[in-house]
Amino acid sequence: MTAFPSQTIEAEKAMQLLNAWLAPRLTSDAAAWLASQLAIIASGEKPMQLAIAVGLAPRKVGKTDLDLTTDEAEAGRTVREGLDATGWSVDQAARILLALASHRGDDEQFVVSLDRVLAAAEIGEQIALLRGLPLYPAPQRILHRAAEGVRSAMQPIFEAVAHRNPYPREQFSEAQWNQMVVKALFIESRLCPIQGLDARRNPDLARMLIDYAAERRAAGRAISPELWRCVAPFAGEAEVATLGDILRAGTDAERKGAALALNDCPVPSARAALATAPELAETVQSGRVFWDNIA
Amino acid sequence: MFIDPHAHMISRTTDDYEAMAKAGVVAVIEPAFWIGQARTNVGSYRDYLSHILGFERFRAGQFGVRHYCCIGLNSKEANNEELAEAVMDILPGFATKEGVVAIGEIGYDEQTALEDKYFRLQLDLARDLDLPVMIHTPHRDKKRGASRSMDVILEHKLDPSRVVIDHVNEETIQEVKDRGFWAAFSIYPHSKMTAERMAALVKTYGAERLIADSACDWGVSDPLSVPKTAKLMADSGISAEDVRLVTYANALAVYGKSGQMAEADWLSPEPIDQRTLYQGNTVLRGGQTPRMPQSGSGNE
Ligand SMILES: [Zn+2]
């Protein structure tokens, strides 16, 4: 597996957190509905109830943004390192909570119920349940769900796994990780919301990206400046030369990306290339331009 | 703005979506139906229902078209009892999902005993779940089939103001209107109903409870039927308000009774939808280039 520490979380703790997030955002009717569904699911008496409750959740609890306060978000990271609920909605949090209620102290049975609900999930349900990946117990045993999400042709489903989610960096093999990063570029999604992007850079990924960049340049197509972030530590003279070209003739965002990459590149010639754009070098070295704000 | 309340988009191309969005179609309803060939097991039925509620909805959203579904077991496949039993078990779980606006399209094909059995069971389901119903009327023995469908619906204590009888024609419209149902017309290039005949019917019967749809699928059909019919009706002197009722507002009124479809969905979508499912209508946004799925986002 990977050298990255895997977080495990107890279903109980995750449920407490979600309940605390949801409580101030639900009407008394919605809260009563949710509590009743959680009780039925936890009892295990009606196997179909999870799918039905997950389906009904938006119309029962509403679809407004979860919009956590700074303190609430911080509480989330304390319970689960790397947890990022940016962009979540109230119904998504409720759907994750419902899924957790089916755990009932048994990892194996949780995997079965998650498989069953995802097998017939519509697009909004899939997005919600995949955003919950970091909150599920037994993370290794749901790897197939994350892998399936990344394989999706639906960009928001891909992003539910790839973006603002600590799960991939902790659980994906290098091959899975590399496929996810390359695919993000391929479908013109963003790299910066991927957690652990710098920490999981590797030579094989850099090689794939260098090939991909060459193919795009040959076809006269634009290359996301974010690509170079994963290439920089492994760049050779040829890549430094390419980055130098971009620094001279690229768009604003492309030039910033090239400058950041050259600044991060161990090849001695990279320094000289960066020095050809002194004002850009200065913004990069002073930290005013960084990977999250280039575009 | 137009709504096409009967379109099997699963068998249409991206060119169709692009053309529909450009012509002003803001929303489509995809009824669960036969796919041109019989399914042999419940797994393929489940995947089909997931597909129209998943990838198809996503695809539509990429072109600025809102996508809704009707969930049901169609009459042809109701004749395979083993399949029908298994499908009935999974229907409640699908019918309660987001964006499901009706049970449909259900009804009769050959009017067999098995068709009758599963038609009735699904009417019960619609009543239990408080969902509108879309009725497919048979191509053969149409008049009797339509009449019988309405008898059974009333027998099952469904409110006709929540039921759309589809594929109506000159022969069946009077009874459908008299009995308080909505009458939908599938405007086909060669058969079923033409835009000219539709315009004549609106002149005769008025626009109340009349709905135009394309019923476009894998056969010869036209996904632009609704906007084309609107134009033809306007050109033939039908008032703008009546055109709006037949090609937009009536469908919204009846399928909106599900609580799953509202004008705000396309005029002011929820932020979460805008971020994930729906790219906004290009016509409403003033003719920008439609956001195309990037090359490679299909079969990479
Ligand atoms: Zn149809």
Side-chain angles (χ1 to χ4, degrees):
Chain A
M1 277 304 292
T2 69
F4 298 90
S6 154
Q7 298 282 316
T8 52
I9 183 165
E10 290 165 28
E12 197 61 35
K13 286 226 172 69
M15 290 180 71
Q16 277 169 13
L17 174 71
L18 292 169
N19 269 312
W21 281 354
L22 285 167
R25 293 170 174 83
L26 297 181
T27 63
S28 55
D29 281 356
W33 176 82
L34 189 56
S36 72
Q37 299 303 304
L38 291 170
I40 300 171
I41 293 163
S43 79
E45 277 160 23
K46 296 183 182 167
M48 282 305 292
Q49 198 66 28
L50 176 60
I52 291 171
V54 164
L56 292 174
R59 70 192 81 171
K60 298 292 186 180
V61 303
K63 291 169 70 174
T64 50
D65 284 349
L66 192 61
D67 214 2
L68 298 178
T69 65
T70 318
D71 287 349
E72 287 172 319
E74 185 52 45
R77 285 190 293 274
T78 307
V79 171
R80 188 358 174 148
E81 198 185 319
L83 185 62
D84 182 353
T86 307
W88 287 22
S89 57
V90 168
D91 67 293
Q92 289 177 337
R95 282 171 157 169
I96 297 165
L97 178 59
L98 290 160
L100 282 164
S102 72
H103 183 268
R104 307 205 295 277
D106 180 348
D107 288 349
E108 187 54 41
Q109 109 97 33
F110 174 72
V111 175
V112 170
S113 69
L114 193 66
D115 278 341
R116 192 191 296 137
V117 74
L118 274 166
E122 51 86 21
I123 180 168
E125 294 168 353
Q126 291 192 57
I127 293 167
L129 294 172
L130 291 173
R131 282 182 163 180
L133 282 169
L135 287 173
Y136 301 144
Q140 300 85 356
R141 295 166 87 164
I142 51 174
L143 187 60
H144 63 293
R145 301 280 30 143
E148 190 72 21
V150 165
R151 254 176 236 128
S152 175
M154 292 176 259
Q155 189 165 335
I157 291 177
F158 169 83
E159 288 174 352
V161 179
H163 284 177
R164 298 185 179 82
N165 194 334
Y167 186 93
R169 76 172 297 187
E170 293 169 4
Q171 297 299 335
F172 277 11
S173 67
E174 187 174 288
Q176 286 175 309
W177 178 265
N178 292 351
Q179 281 298 320
M180 180 180 83
V181 174
V182 175
K183 178 166 172 174
L185 290 166
F186 208 75
I187 64 174
E188 303 192 7
S189 179
R190 295 293 306 273
L191 292 194
C192 71
I194 297 178
Q195 291 191 14
L197 200 57
D198 290 334
R200 291 208 62 176
R201 293 189 285 200
N202 62 77
D204 205 38
L205 176 60
R207 181 193 56 77
M208 282 195 261
L209 294 176
I210 289 166
D211 286 353
Y212 174 63
E215 188 187 309
R216 297 276 295 193
R217 281 172 72 84
R221 300 181 68 189
I223 300 165
S224 163
E226 290 190 296
L227 175 142
W228 304 109
R229 183 173 180 175
C230 299
V231 169
F234 311 100
E237 294 297 342
E239 287 72 56
V240 170
T242 302
L243 290 165
D245 288 348
I246 296 171
L247 207 54
R248 271 187 299 280
T251 65
D252 186 47
E254 285 168 350
R255 295 184 68 234
K256 285 177 182 165
L260 282 162
L262 286 168
N263 194 48
D264 204 9
C265 176
V267 179
S269 57
R271 294 278 136 186
L274 184 55
T276 61
E279 75 301 338
L280 208 51
E282 198 278 323
T283 58
V284 165
Q285 279 151 2
S286 66
R288 272 183 288 135
V289 164
F290 49 98
W291 285 111
D292 291 5
N293 78 351
I294 53 171
Chain B
M1 291 191 295
F2 302 108
I3 293 172
D4 188 343
H6 188 148
H8 300 283
M9 298 309 296
I10 192 169
S11 29
R12 307 302 307 191
T13 65
T14 53
D15 282 1
D16 292 336
Y17 271 126
E18 220 181 328
M20 289 169 94
K22 195 165 167 235
V25 175
V26 293
V28 293
I29 297 175
E30 171 130 16
F33 199 53
W34 192 58
I35 49 173
Q37 161 171 318
R39 279 163 284 221
T40 56
N41 67 79
V42 67
S44 51
Y45 218 101
R46 180 191 291 114
D47 290 344
Y48 167 77
L49 296 176
S50 296
H51 188 151
I52 60 176
L53 284 157
F55 188 59
E56 205 49 54
R57 188 191 296 174
F58 170 73
R59 219 162 67 97
Q62 293 290 291
F63 292 89
V65 176
R66 277 290 199 168
H67 184 277
Y68 305 86
C69 289
C70 306
I71 294 297
L73 169 68
N74 66 78
S75 47
K76 278 180 197 280
E77 283 165 316
N79 289 303
N80 175 346
E81 192 167 12
E82 192 188 337
L83 175 73
E85 278 303 315
V87 170
M88 286 308 297
D89 286 343
I90 65 167
L91 282 188
F94 281 103
T96 45
K97 287 188 191 295
E98 274 214 290
V100 174
V101 297
I103 297 293
E105 50 187 307
I106 59 171
Y108 296 113
D109 180 46
E110 300 167 43
Q111 307 188 45
T112 64
L114 281 172
E115 289 173 18
D116 189 57
K117 174 183 172 186
Y118 292 106
F119 180 39
R120 289 168 185 271
L121 286 171
Q122 293 186 88
L123 293 175
D124 289 338
L125 181 65
R127 202 185 49 246
D128 291 349
L129 299 177
D130 204 22
L131 276 171
V133 180
M134 180 194 285
I135 300 295
H136 165 89
T137 48
H139 307 285
R140 302 170 301 277
D141 198 8
K142 189 181 209 50
K143 198 163 181 196
R144 182 166 156 267
S147 211
R148 181 174 170 196
S149 305
M150 288 182 273
D151 293 344
V152 173
I153 292 163
L154 295 175
E155 202 180 297
H156 282 253
K157 306 271 181 282
L158 269 91
D159 179 351
S161 75
R162 296 172 65 85
V163 180
V164 178
I165 309 294
D166 212 328
H167 314 318
V168 172
N169 60 17
E170 288 86 350
E171 296 301 302
T172 48
I173 182 169
Q174 188 70 52
E175 184 184 352
V176 172
K177 282 215 76 173
D178 288 349
R179 299 178 84 172
F181 292 89
W182 298 79
F185 300 83
S186 302
I187 315 295
Y188 268 35
H190 304 308
S191 57
K192 285 195 178 163
M193 175 57 62
T194 62
E196 290 79 7
R197 284 159 59 200
M198 180 77 215
L201 286 170
V202 174
K203 284 181 182 168
T204 310
Y205 292 90
E208 193 196 340
R209 283 187 281 117
L210 263 48
I211 296 170
D213 62 59
S214 75
C216 61
D217 59 11
W218 32 260
V220 178
S221 47
D222 183 358
L224 296 181
S225 276
V226 174
K228 284 179 183 170
T229 302
K231 179 164 192 317
L232 192 135
M233 289 195 294
D235 290 349
S236 74
I238 292 169
S239 74
E241 177 54 17
D242 282 356
V243 172
R244 199 182 80 90
L245 286 172
V246 173
T247 57
Y248 177 82
N250 285 348
L252 181 58
V254 60
Y255 293 112
K257 289 174 195 265
S258 64
Q260 291 298 300
M261 181 181 190
E263 203 170 43
D265 295 351
W266 47 91
L267 292 185
S268 50
E270 303 251 13
I272 185 75
D273 285 358
Q274 265 180 316
R275 282 195 305 270
T276 56
L277 304 177
Y278 177 66
Q279 301 296 339
N281 191 293
T282 52
V283 171
L284 297 178
R285 287 185 316 188
Q288 292 162 273
T289 321
R291 190 195 140 106
M292 309 285 277
Q294 299 301 331
S295 64
S297 66
N299 299 316
E300 82 268 40

